[in-house]
Amino acid sequence: MRKEDAKHLQALLQKSRAQEAQATKLAEEREKKVLQLKDKVEKFRRRDVDRAAFLEETRSRHLQEVTMLENVRPVIQAQLHHLLTLLCKIIKDLHEKLESEGQTRRIFEVNDQKRCSKLESRLFVAKAPAEGTVEKLGKNKSALPITTLQPAT
């Protein structure tokens, strides 16, 4: 029985060594897996820290821009007010100039009308005696000598 017991013990010993090797292998795999998970956690943590730093930097920059814009706003408003005032003055000046040109044009039109009326009356005055002369000449046809033009030789 001793041989059988020895064989049995040897088989148990081999089995126990195999189980121990498997347990060691599993422990190493678990340790490797734990290390991988720790690396992933560290990467995520670093990424979150980097993202938080980026967000904080962006927030700080945006706050600076808002502050700058708030400081510049009154200056821009004053400049806009000044520009609007100048624009209103230019429009007013142009309107006055157009009114003045319109009045000048109306004065010229009135003067032109007066000149035309005077010329028409002069024409009428000059036309009346001429018409009388033409009529007189028409009545006295016999008084006018009839001449014919001879071609030059």
Side-chain angles (χ1 to χ4, degrees), residues 41-109:
V41 166
E42 183 61 26
K43 283 180 185 176
F44 282 123
R45 189 192 66 72
R46 270 188 261 130
R47 191 183 75 194
D48 286 346
V49 167
D50 291 346
R51 186 174 286 155
F54 172 76
L55 290 175
E56 180 60 31
E57 180 183 323
T58 304
R59 186 185 73 77
S60 174
R61 191 175 59 241
H62 286 180
L63 283 175
Q64 287 174 349
E65 289 173 0
V66 166
T67 304
M68 181 192 68
L69 290 174
E70 286 175 350
N71 291 338
V72 170
R73 185 178 181 185
V75 173
I76 292 173
Q77 284 178 334
Q79 288 175 345
L80 280 175
H81 179 72
H82 179 69
L83 289 174
L84 285 173
T85 305
L86 287 176
L87 187 60
C88 288
K89 185 177 184 283
I90 290 170
I91 290 171
K92 182 180 174 187
D93 290 346
L94 285 174
H95 183 65
E96 289 173 359
K97 188 174 182 180
L98 283 173
E99 278 293 320
S100 172
E101 286 179 5
Q103 288 175 352
T104 305
R105 189 176 298 125
R106 284 190 288 276
I107 290 169
F108 279 124
E109 286 174 0

